[in-house]
Amino acid sequence: MRCDITIVFDTRRSLDLTATVETTPQRQSQARDWFDGAWETLGCEPLRPSGKVLLLDKVLGVADALGYDTLSTDEKEAREFAENLALALERPRITVDLPGLTVGY
C-alpha cells in the first residue's frame, strides 16, 4: 500500500512524505506499539484535559516532538515515522495538522 502523508507544522512549514508498506495485522500492531514507545521516549504530554490518550493524539504528539527540523533533514526518522503512520492507520492519504490538532484521512 502506498500512503501519501502531509504534516502541517505551521502556516509556513509543511512536509510531504510517502511510504510504501505491506500491511498485516501484526505489522499494524507493531506500528501502534512504535507510537506508544515514541510517545514515552519523546516525553509527549496528553492533549486532552481528561488525560486519555488516543492513537491519533500519539500521532500528533510524536510529529510535534520530532518537529519539522528532524523530519525534514533526518531521512531515517522521517521514513520510520511515515511507515509506522501508514501501517497504524492503513489509509492511502493522511494529513497531520499540528496547529489544528487533527489527523485527517
Side-chain angles (χ1 to χ4, degrees):
M1 174 185 84
R2 177 187 160 105
C3 180
D4 295 313
I5 300 162
T6 299
I7 307 168
V8 179
F9 292 92
D10 56 41
T11 56
R12 295 174 299 152
R13 296 181 305 165
S14 66
L15 187 61
D16 292 317
L17 304 172
T18 301
T20 303
V21 295
E22 196 164 321
T23 61
T24 66
Q26 181 181 6
R27 291 195 73 206
Q28 183 182 29
S29 178
Q30 290 170 341
R32 289 172 184 251
D33 290 344
W34 182 88
F35 275 101
D36 290 342
W39 172 270
E40 292 295 323
T41 300
L42 295 168
C44 299
E45 297 289 327
L47 301 172
R48 301 173 195 288
S50 68
K52 186 173 184 175
V53 181
L54 306 173
L55 175 61
L56 298 182
D57 296 330
K58 291 177 184 175
V59 169
L60 289 165
V62 170
D64 188 42
L66 289 173
Y68 177 81
D69 292 337
T70 297
L71 290 174
S72 65
T73 60
D74 188 330
E75 187 178 319
K76 179 186 175 292
E77 286 285 348
R79 184 179 63 250
E80 188 173 35
F81 177 84
E83 288 176 355
N84 281 294
L85 182 58
L87 286 165
L89 300 183
E90 292 187 293
R91 299 284 195 261
R93 177 87 184 109
I94 302 169
T95 301
V96 178
D97 181 354
L98 294 174
L101 296 176
T102 62
V103 178
Y105 311 119

